[in-house]
Amino acid sequence: MITRLISLVLSLMIGLGSIISFQGLDTIKKITGLNYQTSVYSVVVLKDSSYQQLNDLANKSIGLVASLDKTNTAEALSNIQSSIQIASQNYNNMNELQTGLFKGEVKSILMNEAYRAFINEINRDFEANTRVIYTFKIKESVDDGKKENVKSSK
């Protein structure tokens, strides 16, 4: 009988401990913002170009890979096109995108910063020969999918 009572008390304590742990994790998640993911899109130009800000690219061209993260890429492009008139040129992959910039097919590229390391692997000189003139952040709730956008210039 005492063994059962001790077992019951321990089971209740474990259950209560689990509830407290889950509440603590939820609180930590809310404090640290772990319920959001942020996608950062940059407008990248050649380092030696005269373009200093987004407005300088008015009536020019911007390359992008629309097949990667379609929704957010379209949203970032729409944000840019709400500020300036710019023609977009779609590329099949990140290698073609960065090559298009260096060959002068486009004056700028729109890229998700999550792919920067990949581009740097393809072209070791990419970082040294380019610069960011505009960034656009898409903060998306992991829980409910709501988005919040933040624009910034470099």
Side-chain angles (χ1 to χ4, degrees):
M1 181 72 157
I2 291 186
T3 308
R4 286 185 181 170
L5 184 60
I6 291 173
S7 177
L8 178 64
V9 169
L10 287 175
S11 294
L12 289 173
M13 289 176 63
I14 290 171
L16 183 61
S18 295
I19 291 170
I20 292 170
S21 282
F22 285 121
Q23 288 175 341
L25 287 174
D26 189 47
T27 301
I28 289 171
K29 192 165 120 177
K30 286 178 183 173
I31 291 170
T32 60
L34 293 178
N35 53 340
Y36 285 93
Q37 72 178 22
T38 303
S39 297
V40 179
Y41 283 82
S42 296
V43 175
V44 179
V45 298
L46 293 175
K47 191 172 192 172
D48 61 355
S49 75
S50 63
Y51 309 118
Q52 298 298 317
Q53 57 188 352
L54 188 61
N55 289 339
D56 295 337
L57 291 171
N59 300 312
K60 304 293 185 210
S61 56
I62 189 164
L64 54 99
V65 180
S67 62
L68 294 176
D69 192 14
K70 291 179 184 180
T71 303
N72 287 340
T73 299
E75 187 171 339
L77 179 61
S78 176
N79 168 267
I80 292 166
Q81 290 176 328
S82 72
S83 299
I84 62 170
Q85 185 165 349
I86 191 165
S88 65
Q89 181 171 335
N90 190 35
Y91 289 91
N92 293 320
N93 56 54
M94 298 306 280
N95 184 36
E96 288 181 10
L97 179 68
Q98 65 89 29
T99 300
L101 177 65
F102 283 100
K103 284 186 172 181
E105 295 170 4
V106 292
K107 300 300 181 187
S108 61
I109 60 173
L110 174 63
M111 62 177 270
N112 184 329
E113 285 294 336
Y115 297 109
R116 183 175 287 273
F118 179 72
I119 289 180
N120 286 331
E121 285 295 317
I122 295 169
N123 180 349
R124 302 244 185 240
D125 295 326
F126 182 80
E127 203 72 35
N129 293 313
T130 62
R131 58 190 164 77
V132 174
I133 63 167
Y134 182 79
T135 58
F136 181 71
K137 296 179 184 177
I138 301 171
K139 186 176 177 183
E140 187 173 7
S141 172
V142 176
D143 297 330
D144 60 14
K146 291 182 182 175
K147 293 184 180 184
E148 174 184 318
N149 301 327
V150 180
K151 305 174 191 180
S152 67
S153 297
K154 283 277 180 176

PDB file of all heavy atoms in Angstrom, residues 32-69:
ATOM      1  N   THR A  32      12.522  34.936 -26.479  1.00  0.00           N
ATOM      2  CA  THR A  32      13.620  34.935 -27.441  1.00  0.00           C
ATOM      3  C   THR A  32      13.160  35.099 -28.876  1.00  0.00           C
ATOM      4  O   THR A  32      13.979  35.278 -29.770  1.00  0.00           O
ATOM      5  CB  THR A  32      14.435  33.628 -27.342  1.00  0.00           C
ATOM      6  OG1 THR A  32      13.574  32.522 -27.612  1.00  0.00           O
ATOM      7  CG2 THR A  32      15.064  33.479 -25.980  1.00  0.00           C
ATOM      8  N   GLY A  33      11.868  35.022 -29.135  1.00  0.00           N
ATOM      9  CA  GLY A  33      11.364  35.173 -30.491  1.00  0.00           C
ATOM     10  C   GLY A  33      11.603  33.955 -31.354  1.00  0.00           C
ATOM     11  O   GLY A  33      11.662  34.060 -32.570  1.00  0.00           O
ATOM     12  N   LEU A  34      11.773  32.807 -30.754  1.00  0.00           N
ATOM     13  CA  LEU A  34      12.032  31.594 -31.518  1.00  0.00           C
ATOM     14  C   LEU A  34      10.830  31.148 -32.334  1.00  0.00           C
ATOM     15  O   LEU A  34      10.929  30.198 -33.089  1.00  0.00           O
ATOM     16  CB  LEU A  34      12.477  30.460 -30.588  1.00  0.00           C
ATOM     17  CG  LEU A  34      13.829  30.656 -29.923  1.00  0.00           C
ATOM     18  CD1 LEU A  34      14.129  29.495 -28.985  1.00  0.00           C
ATOM     19  CD2 LEU A  34      14.933  30.789 -30.949  1.00  0.00           C
ATOM     20  N   ASN A  35       9.716  31.835 -32.201  1.00  0.00           N
ATOM     21  CA  ASN A  35       8.541  31.469 -32.978  1.00  0.00           C
ATOM     22  C   ASN A  35       8.491  32.237 -34.298  1.00  0.00           C
ATOM     23  O   ASN A  35       7.498  32.204 -34.999  1.00  0.00           O
ATOM     24  CB  ASN A  35       7.255  31.676 -32.167  1.00  0.00           C
ATOM     25  CG  ASN A  35       7.153  33.062 -31.583  1.00  0.00           C
ATOM     26  OD1 ASN A  35       8.143  33.766 -31.447  1.00  0.00           O
ATOM     27  ND2 ASN A  35       5.954  33.467 -31.232  1.00  0.00           N
ATOM     28  N   TYR A  36       9.576  32.923 -34.649  1.00  0.00           N
ATOM     29  CA  TYR A  36       9.675  33.645 -35.916  1.00  0.00           C
ATOM     30  C   TYR A  36      10.899  33.185 -36.685  1.00  0.00           C
ATOM     31  O   TYR A  36      11.908  32.835 -36.098  1.00  0.00           O
ATOM     32  CB  TYR A  36       9.814  35.168 -35.680  1.00  0.00           C
ATOM     33  CG  TYR A  36       8.530  35.834 -35.275  1.00  0.00           C
ATOM     34  CD1 TYR A  36       8.206  36.010 -33.944  1.00  0.00           C
ATOM     35  CD2 TYR A  36       7.642  36.287 -36.239  1.00  0.00           C
ATOM     36  CE1 TYR A  36       7.022  36.614 -33.573  1.00  0.00           C
ATOM     37  CE2 TYR A  36       6.455  36.896 -35.876  1.00  0.00           C
ATOM     38  CZ  TYR A  36       6.154  37.059 -34.539  1.00  0.00           C
ATOM     39  OH  TYR A  36       4.979  37.663 -34.192  1.00  0.00           O
ATOM     40  N   GLN A  37      10.761  33.198 -37.984  1.00  0.00           N
ATOM     41  CA  GLN A  37      11.934  33.026 -38.831  1.00  0.00           C
ATOM     42  C   GLN A  37      12.021  34.262 -39.713  1.00  0.00           C
ATOM     43  O   GLN A  37      11.005  34.811 -40.137  1.00  0.00           O
ATOM     44  CB  GLN A  37      11.853  31.753 -39.656  1.00  0.00           C
ATOM     45  CG  GLN A  37      10.850  31.779 -40.780  1.00  0.00           C
ATOM     46  CD  GLN A  37      10.864  30.484 -41.581  1.00  0.00           C
ATOM     47  OE1 GLN A  37      11.293  29.454 -41.102  1.00  0.00           O
ATOM     48  NE2 GLN A  37      10.379  30.545 -42.802  1.00  0.00           N
ATOM     49  N   THR A  38      13.217  34.728 -39.946  1.00  0.00           N
ATOM     50  CA  THR A  38      13.416  35.933 -40.737  1.00  0.00           C
ATOM     51  C   THR A  38      14.200  35.598 -41.997  1.00  0.00           C
ATOM     52  O   THR A  38      15.270  35.001 -41.917  1.00  0.00           O
ATOM     53  CB  THR A  38      14.175  37.004 -39.915  1.00  0.00           C
ATOM     54  OG1 THR A  38      13.437  37.274 -38.729  1.00  0.00           O
ATOM     55  CG2 THR A  38      14.349  38.282 -40.711  1.00  0.00           C
ATOM     56  N   SER A  39      13.658  35.975 -43.129  1.00  0.00           N
ATOM     57  CA  SER A  39      14.352  35.841 -44.412  1.00  0.00           C
ATOM     58  C   SER A  39      14.856  37.233 -44.787  1.00  0.00           C
ATOM     59  O   SER A  39      14.089  38.184 -44.786  1.00  0.00           O
ATOM     60  CB  SER A  39      13.411  35.324 -45.491  1.00  0.00           C
ATOM     61  OG  SER A  39      12.939  34.039 -45.182  1.00  0.00           O
ATOM     62  N   VAL A  40      16.132  37.320 -45.090  1.00  0.00           N
ATOM     63  CA  VAL A  40      16.736  38.597 -45.459  1.00  0.00           C
ATOM     64  C   VAL A  40      17.077  38.560 -46.945  1.00  0.00           C
ATOM     65  O   VAL A  40      17.822  37.687 -47.398  1.00  0.00           O
ATOM     66  CB  VAL A  40      18.016  38.879 -44.640  1.00  0.00           C
ATOM     67  CG1 VAL A  40      18.648  40.206 -45.063  1.00  0.00           C
ATOM     68  CG2 VAL A  40      17.713  38.863 -43.149  1.00  0.00           C
ATOM     69  N   TYR A  41      16.505  39.498 -47.692  1.00  0.00           N
ATOM     70  CA  TYR A  41      16.773  39.629 -49.121  1.00  0.00           C
ATOM     71  C   TYR A  41      17.615  40.874 -49.341  1.00  0.00           C
ATOM     72  O   TYR A  41      17.354  41.916 -48.759  1.00  0.00           O
ATOM     73  CB  TYR A  41      15.465  39.732 -49.912  1.00  0.00           C
ATOM     74  CG  TYR A  41      14.803  38.388 -50.066  1.00  0.00           C
ATOM     75  CD1 TYR A  41      14.028  37.861 -49.047  1.00  0.00           C
ATOM     76  CD2 TYR A  41      14.997  37.634 -51.208  1.00  0.00           C
ATOM     77  CE1 TYR A  41      13.452  36.616 -49.172  1.00  0.00           C
ATOM     78  CE2 TYR A  41      14.422  36.384 -51.346  1.00  0.00           C
ATOM     79  CZ  TYR A  41      13.654  35.880 -50.320  1.00  0.00           C
ATOM     80  OH  TYR A  41      13.100  34.639 -50.446  1.00  0.00           O
ATOM     81  N   SER A  42      18.625  40.740 -50.178  1.00  0.00           N
ATOM     82  CA  SER A  42      19.514  41.855 -50.479  1.00  0.00           C
ATOM     83  C   SER A  42      19.520  42.155 -51.962  1.00  0.00           C
ATOM     84  O   SER A  42      19.421  41.246 -52.787  1.00  0.00           O
ATOM     85  CB  SER A  42      20.946  41.529 -50.047  1.00  0.00           C
ATOM     86  OG  SER A  42      21.027  41.367 -48.659  1.00  0.00           O
ATOM     87  N   VAL A  43      19.653  43.431 -52.274  1.00  0.00           N
ATOM     88  CA  VAL A  43      19.910  43.855 -53.635  1.00  0.00           C
ATOM     89  C   VAL A  43      21.419  44.061 -53.706  1.00  0.00           C
ATOM     90  O   VAL A  43      21.987  44.878 -52.980  1.00  0.00           O
ATOM     91  CB  VAL A  43      19.154  45.149 -54.001  1.00  0.00           C
ATOM     92  CG1 VAL A  43      19.558  45.630 -55.390  1.00  0.00           C
ATOM     93  CG2 VAL A  43      17.647  44.916 -53.918  1.00  0.00           C
ATOM     94  N   VAL A  44      22.051  43.270 -54.557  1.00  0.00           N
ATOM     95  CA  VAL A  44      23.508  43.242 -54.659  1.00  0.00           C
ATOM     96  C   VAL A  44      23.923  43.817 -56.015  1.00  0.00           C
ATOM     97  O   VAL A  44      23.318  43.495 -57.037  1.00  0.00           O
ATOM     98  CB  VAL A  44      24.032  41.790 -54.510  1.00  0.00           C
ATOM     99  CG1 VAL A  44      25.547  41.735 -54.632  1.00  0.00           C
ATOM    100  CG2 VAL A  44      23.571  41.188 -53.188  1.00  0.00           C
ATOM    101  N   VAL A  45      24.950  44.654 -55.987  1.00  0.00           N
ATOM    102  CA  VAL A  45      25.509  45.241 -57.205  1.00  0.00           C
ATOM    103  C   VAL A  45      27.011  44.974 -57.235  1.00  0.00           C
ATOM    104  O   VAL A  45      27.600  44.589 -56.226  1.00  0.00           O
ATOM    105  CB  VAL A  45      25.235  46.769 -57.289  1.00  0.00           C
ATOM    106  CG1 VAL A  45      23.752  47.064 -57.347  1.00  0.00           C
ATOM    107  CG2 VAL A  45      25.893  47.504 -56.129  1.00  0.00           C
ATOM    108  N   LEU A  46      27.607  45.207 -58.393  1.00  0.00           N
ATOM    109  CA  LEU A  46      29.062  45.085 -58.480  1.00  0.00           C
ATOM    110  C   LEU A  46      29.704  46.181 -57.640  1.00  0.00           C
ATOM    111  O   LEU A  46      29.207  47.312 -57.583  1.00  0.00           O
ATOM    112  CB  LEU A  46      29.525  45.179 -59.934  1.00  0.00           C
ATOM    113  CG  LEU A  46      29.104  44.023 -60.832  1.00  0.00           C
ATOM    114  CD1 LEU A  46      29.519  44.283 -62.277  1.00  0.00           C
ATOM    115  CD2 LEU A  46      29.679  42.705 -60.332  1.00  0.00           C
ATOM    116  N   LYS A  47      30.784  45.837 -57.001  1.00  0.00           N
ATOM    117  CA  LYS A  47      31.455  46.762 -56.082  1.00  0.00           C
ATOM    118  C   LYS A  47      31.874  48.065 -56.768  1.00  0.00           C
ATOM    119  O   LYS A  47      31.760  49.140 -56.178  1.00  0.00           O
ATOM    120  CB  LYS A  47      32.676  46.086 -55.469  1.00  0.00           C
ATOM    121  CG  LYS A  47      33.295  46.835 -54.335  1.00  0.00           C
ATOM    122  CD  LYS A  47      34.369  46.022 -53.667  1.00  0.00           C
ATOM    123  CE  LYS A  47      34.784  46.660 -52.366  1.00  0.00           C
ATOM    124  NZ  LYS A  47      35.690  45.779 -51.626  1.00  0.00           N
ATOM    125  N   ASP A  48      32.326  47.985 -58.011  1.00  0.00           N
ATOM    126  CA  ASP A  48      32.807  49.185 -58.690  1.00  0.00           C
ATOM    127  C   ASP A  48      31.716  49.931 -59.466  1.00  0.00           C
ATOM    128  O   ASP A  48      32.001  50.891 -60.186  1.00  0.00           O
ATOM    129  CB  ASP A  48      33.984  48.853 -59.611  1.00  0.00           C
ATOM    130  CG  ASP A  48      33.619  47.854 -60.704  1.00  0.00           C
ATOM    131  OD1 ASP A  48      32.477  47.338 -60.710  1.00  0.00           O
ATOM    132  OD2 ASP A  48      34.484  47.577 -61.556  1.00  0.00           O
ATOM    133  N   SER A  49      30.459  49.525 -59.295  1.00  0.00           N
ATOM    134  CA  SER A  49      29.361  50.236 -59.975  1.00  0.00           C
ATOM    135  C   SER A  49      29.074  51.553 -59.268  1.00  0.00           C
ATOM    136  O   SER A  49      29.475  51.761 -58.124  1.00  0.00           O
ATOM    137  CB  SER A  49      28.093  49.376 -60.002  1.00  0.00           C
ATOM    138  OG  SER A  49      27.490  49.351 -58.724  1.00  0.00           O
ATOM    139  N   SER A  50      28.355  52.430 -59.958  1.00  0.00           N
ATOM    140  CA  SER A  50      28.020  53.740 -59.379  1.00  0.00           C
ATOM    141  C   SER A  50      26.758  53.691 -58.517  1.00  0.00           C
ATOM    142  O   SER A  50      26.404  54.688 -57.899  1.00  0.00           O
ATOM    143  CB  SER A  50      27.840  54.762 -60.500  1.00  0.00           C
ATOM    144  OG  SER A  50      26.747  54.378 -61.326  1.00  0.00           O
ATOM    145  N   TYR A  51      26.079  52.553 -58.449  1.00  0.00           N
ATOM    146  CA  TYR A  51      24.825  52.452 -57.716  1.00  0.00           C
ATOM    147  C   TYR A  51      25.085  52.460 -56.205  1.00  0.00           C
ATOM    148  O   TYR A  51      25.827  51.635 -55.701  1.00  0.00           O
ATOM    149  CB  TYR A  51      24.062  51.180 -58.114  1.00  0.00           C
ATOM    150  CG  TYR A  51      23.917  51.037 -59.608  1.00  0.00           C
ATOM    151  CD1 TYR A  51      24.487  49.959 -60.273  1.00  0.00           C
ATOM    152  CD2 TYR A  51      23.224  51.985 -60.352  1.00  0.00           C
ATOM    153  CE1 TYR A  51      24.373  49.827 -61.649  1.00  0.00           C
ATOM    154  CE2 TYR A  51      23.101  51.866 -61.729  1.00  0.00           C
ATOM    155  CZ  TYR A  51      23.684  50.782 -62.367  1.00  0.00           C
ATOM    156  OH  TYR A  51      23.566  50.659 -63.722  1.00  0.00           O
ATOM    157  N   GLN A  52      24.445  53.405 -55.529  1.00  0.00           N
ATOM    158  CA  GLN A  52      24.635  53.538 -54.089  1.00  0.00           C
ATOM    159  C   GLN A  52      23.382  53.220 -53.280  1.00  0.00           C
ATOM    160  O   GLN A  52      23.478  52.854 -52.112  1.00  0.00           O
ATOM    161  CB  GLN A  52      25.099  54.964 -53.740  1.00  0.00           C
ATOM    162  CG  GLN A  52      26.432  55.338 -54.363  1.00  0.00           C
ATOM    163  CD  GLN A  52      27.566  54.454 -53.873  1.00  0.00           C
ATOM    164  OE1 GLN A  52      27.672  54.155 -52.696  1.00  0.00           O
ATOM    165  NE2 GLN A  52      28.410  54.017 -54.796  1.00  0.00           N
ATOM    166  N   GLN A  53      22.234  53.417 -53.892  1.00  0.00           N
ATOM    167  CA  GLN A  53      20.965  53.163 -53.209  1.00  0.00           C
ATOM    168  C   GLN A  53      19.960  52.611 -54.211  1.00  0.00           C
ATOM    169  O   GLN A  53      20.188  52.641 -55.414  1.00  0.00           O
ATOM    170  CB  GLN A  53      20.437  54.419 -52.530  1.00  0.00           C
ATOM    171  CG  GLN A  53      20.242  55.587 -53.481  1.00  0.00           C
ATOM    172  CD  GLN A  53      19.910  56.856 -52.740  1.00  0.00           C
ATOM    173  OE1 GLN A  53      19.693  56.839 -51.546  1.00  0.00           O
ATOM    174  NE2 GLN A  53      19.854  57.965 -53.457  1.00  0.00           N
ATOM    175  N   LEU A  54      18.855  52.108 -53.695  1.00  0.00           N
ATOM    176  CA  LEU A  54      17.854  51.464 -54.537  1.00  0.00           C
ATOM    177  C   LEU A  54      17.371  52.375 -55.663  1.00  0.00           C
ATOM    178  O   LEU A  54      17.226  51.941 -56.808  1.00  0.00           O
ATOM    179  CB  LEU A  54      16.671  50.993 -53.682  1.00  0.00           C
ATOM    180  CG  LEU A  54      15.630  50.136 -54.391  1.00  0.00           C
ATOM    181  CD1 LEU A  54      16.252  48.847 -54.923  1.00  0.00           C
ATOM    182  CD2 LEU A  54      14.481  49.814 -53.446  1.00  0.00           C
ATOM    183  N   ASN A  55      17.148  53.648 -55.375  1.00  0.00           N
ATOM    184  CA  ASN A  55      16.662  54.591 -56.396  1.00  0.00           C
ATOM    185  C   ASN A  55      17.592  54.691 -57.599  1.00  0.00           C
ATOM    186  O   ASN A  55      17.153  55.012 -58.706  1.00  0.00           O
ATOM    187  CB  ASN A  55      16.443  55.977 -55.790  1.00  0.00           C
ATOM    188  CG  ASN A  55      15.243  56.002 -54.869  1.00  0.00           C
ATOM    189  OD1 ASN A  55      14.365  55.148 -54.950  1.00  0.00           O
ATOM    190  ND2 ASN A  55      15.208  56.978 -53.978  1.00  0.00           N
ATOM    191  N   ASP A  56      18.869  54.434 -57.410  1.00  0.00           N
ATOM    192  CA  ASP A  56      19.830  54.491 -58.512  1.00  0.00           C
ATOM    193  C   ASP A  56      19.568  53.407 -59.556  1.00  0.00           C
ATOM    194  O   ASP A  56      20.047  53.506 -60.686  1.00  0.00           O
ATOM    195  CB  ASP A  56      21.267  54.347 -57.992  1.00  0.00           C
ATOM    196  CG  ASP A  56      21.683  55.504 -57.097  1.00  0.00           C
ATOM    197  OD1 ASP A  56      21.090  56.599 -57.207  1.00  0.00           O
ATOM    198  OD2 ASP A  56      22.603  55.312 -56.282  1.00  0.00           O
ATOM    199  N   LEU A  57      18.826  52.384 -59.184  1.00  0.00           N
ATOM    200  CA  LEU A  57      18.539  51.281 -60.105  1.00  0.00           C
ATOM    201  C   LEU A  57      17.237  51.472 -60.890  1.00  0.00           C
ATOM    202  O   LEU A  57      16.823  50.573 -61.625  1.00  0.00           O
ATOM    203  CB  LEU A  57      18.481  49.954 -59.340  1.00  0.00           C
ATOM    204  CG  LEU A  57      19.810  49.454 -58.791  1.00  0.00           C
ATOM    205  CD1 LEU A  57      19.586  48.261 -57.880  1.00  0.00           C
ATOM    206  CD2 LEU A  57      20.768  49.107 -59.916  1.00  0.00           C
ATOM    207  N   ALA A  58      16.609  52.626 -60.748  1.00  0.00           N
ATOM    208  CA  ALA A  58      15.365  52.893 -61.486  1.00  0.00           C
ATOM    209  C   ALA A  58      15.603  52.717 -62.980  1.00  0.00           C
ATOM    210  O   ALA A  58      16.610  53.181 -63.524  1.00  0.00           O
ATOM    211  CB  ALA A  58      14.867  54.299 -61.185  1.00  0.00           C
ATOM    212  N   ASN A  59      14.679  51.998 -63.627  1.00  0.00           N
ATOM    213  CA  ASN A  59      14.721  51.713 -65.062  1.00  0.00           C
ATOM    214  C   ASN A  59      15.913  50.852 -65.476  1.00  0.00           C
ATOM    215  O   ASN A  59      16.292  50.840 -66.643  1.00  0.00           O
ATOM    216  CB  ASN A  59      14.694  53.007 -65.882  1.00  0.00           C
ATOM    217  CG  ASN A  59      13.432  53.797 -65.594  1.00  0.00           C
ATOM    218  OD1 ASN A  59      12.330  53.251 -65.604  1.00  0.00           O
ATOM    219  ND2 ASN A  59      13.596  55.074 -65.289  1.00  0.00           N
ATOM    220  N   LYS A  60      16.484  50.142 -64.512  1.00  0.00           N
ATOM    221  CA  LYS A  60      17.576  49.198 -64.800  1.00  0.00           C
ATOM    222  C   LYS A  60      17.009  47.790 -64.689  1.00  0.00           C
ATOM    223  O   LYS A  60      15.805  47.582 -64.763  1.00  0.00           O
ATOM    224  CB  LYS A  60      18.737  49.398 -63.813  1.00  0.00           C
ATOM    225  CG  LYS A  60      19.285  50.805 -63.769  1.00  0.00           C
ATOM    226  CD  LYS A  60      19.956  51.184 -65.063  1.00  0.00           C
ATOM    227  CE  LYS A  60      20.604  52.561 -64.912  1.00  0.00           C
ATOM    228  NZ  LYS A  60      20.660  53.317 -66.105  1.00  0.00           N
ATOM    229  N   SER A  61      17.881  46.806 -64.483  1.00  0.00           N
ATOM    230  CA  SER A  61      17.435  45.414 -64.416  1.00  0.00           C
ATOM    231  C   SER A  61      17.933  44.736 -63.143  1.00  0.00           C
ATOM    232  O   SER A  61      18.992  45.073 -62.617  1.00  0.00           O
ATOM    233  CB  SER A  61      17.946  44.650 -65.640  1.00  0.00           C
ATOM    234  OG  SER A  61      19.359  44.760 -65.714  1.00  0.00           O
ATOM    235  N   ILE A  62      17.131  43.776 -62.681  1.00  0.00           N
ATOM    236  CA  ILE A  62      17.498  43.011 -61.491  1.00  0.00           C
ATOM    237  C   ILE A  62      17.284  41.527 -61.800  1.00  0.00           C
ATOM    238  O   ILE A  62      16.261  41.139 -62.352  1.00  0.00           O
ATOM    239  CB  ILE A  62      16.692  43.453 -60.254  1.00  0.00           C
ATOM    240  CG1 ILE A  62      17.234  42.805 -58.988  1.00  0.00           C
ATOM    241  CG2 ILE A  62      15.202  43.176 -60.413  1.00  0.00           C
ATOM    242  CD1 ILE A  62      16.747  43.474 -57.700  1.00  0.00           C
ATOM    243  N   GLY A  63      18.280  40.728 -61.477  1.00  0.00           N
ATOM    244  CA  GLY A  63      18.188  39.291 -61.683  1.00  0.00           C
ATOM    245  C   GLY A  63      17.735  38.609 -60.411  1.00  0.00           C
ATOM    246  O   GLY A  63      17.982  39.091 -59.308  1.00  0.00           O
ATOM    247  N   LEU A  64      17.048  37.479 -60.571  1.00  0.00           N
ATOM    248  CA  LEU A  64      16.586  36.716 -59.414  1.00  0.00           C
ATOM    249  C   LEU A  64      16.347  35.270 -59.812  1.00  0.00           C
ATOM    250  O   LEU A  64      16.273  34.956 -60.994  1.00  0.00           O
ATOM    251  CB  LEU A  64      15.307  37.323 -58.826  1.00  0.00           C
ATOM    252  CG  LEU A  64      14.133  37.524 -59.781  1.00  0.00           C
ATOM    253  CD1 LEU A  64      13.133  36.397 -59.641  1.00  0.00           C
ATOM    254  CD2 LEU A  64      13.470  38.841 -59.495  1.00  0.00           C
ATOM    255  N   VAL A  65      16.248  34.401 -58.814  1.00  0.00           N
ATOM    256  CA  VAL A  65      15.889  33.004 -59.040  1.00  0.00           C
ATOM    257  C   VAL A  65      14.514  32.827 -58.409  1.00  0.00           C
ATOM    258  O   VAL A  65      14.388  32.621 -57.205  1.00  0.00           O
ATOM    259  CB  VAL A  65      16.916  32.035 -58.419  1.00  0.00           C
ATOM    260  CG1 VAL A  65      16.504  30.585 -58.672  1.00  0.00           C
ATOM    261  CG2 VAL A  65      18.317  32.291 -58.968  1.00  0.00           C
ATOM    262  N   ALA A  66      13.488  32.956 -59.229  1.00  0.00           N
ATOM    263  CA  ALA A  66      12.107  32.937 -58.731  1.00  0.00           C
ATOM    264  C   ALA A  66      11.699  31.573 -58.195  1.00  0.00           C
ATOM    265  O   ALA A  66      10.798  31.472 -57.377  1.00  0.00           O
ATOM    266  CB  ALA A  66      11.142  33.375 -59.823  1.00  0.00           C
ATOM    267  N   SER A  67      12.366  30.527 -58.635  1.00  0.00           N
ATOM    268  CA  SER A  67      11.964  29.183 -58.205  1.00  0.00           C
ATOM    269  C   SER A  67      12.397  28.863 -56.772  1.00  0.00           C
ATOM    270  O   SER A  67      11.892  27.918 -56.179  1.00  0.00           O
ATOM    271  CB  SER A  67      12.535  28.136 -59.161  1.00  0.00           C
ATOM    272  OG  SER A  67      13.953  28.174 -59.139  1.00  0.00           O
ATOM    273  N   LEU A  68      13.308  29.640 -56.219  1.00  0.00           N
ATOM    274  CA  LEU A  68      13.740  29.440 -54.838  1.00  0.00           C
ATOM    275  C   LEU A  68      12.890  30.313 -53.919  1.00  0.00           C
ATOM    276  O   LEU A  68      12.883  31.524 -54.063  1.00  0.00           O
ATOM    277  CB  LEU A  68      15.218  29.804 -54.664  1.00  0.00           C
ATOM    278  CG  LEU A  68      16.218  28.925 -55.385  1.00  0.00           C
ATOM    279  CD1 LEU A  68      17.629  29.473 -55.202  1.00  0.00           C
ATOM    280  CD2 LEU A  68      16.147  27.487 -54.885  1.00  0.00           C
ATOM    281  N   ASP A  69      12.200  29.702 -52.981  1.00  0.00           N
ATOM    282  CA  ASP A  69      11.373  30.432 -52.025  1.00  0.00           C
ATOM    283  C   ASP A  69      10.448  31.406 -52.763  1.00  0.00           C
ATOM    284  O   ASP A  69      10.508  32.616 -52.573  1.00  0.00           O
ATOM    285  CB  ASP A  69      12.268  31.154 -51.019  1.00  0.00           C
ATOM    286  CG  ASP A  69      11.506  31.698 -49.825  1.00  0.00           C
ATOM    287  OD1 ASP A  69      10.332  31.307 -49.629  1.00  0.00           O
ATOM    288  OD2 ASP A  69      12.068  32.515 -49.086  1.00  0.00           O
TER     289      ASP A  69
END
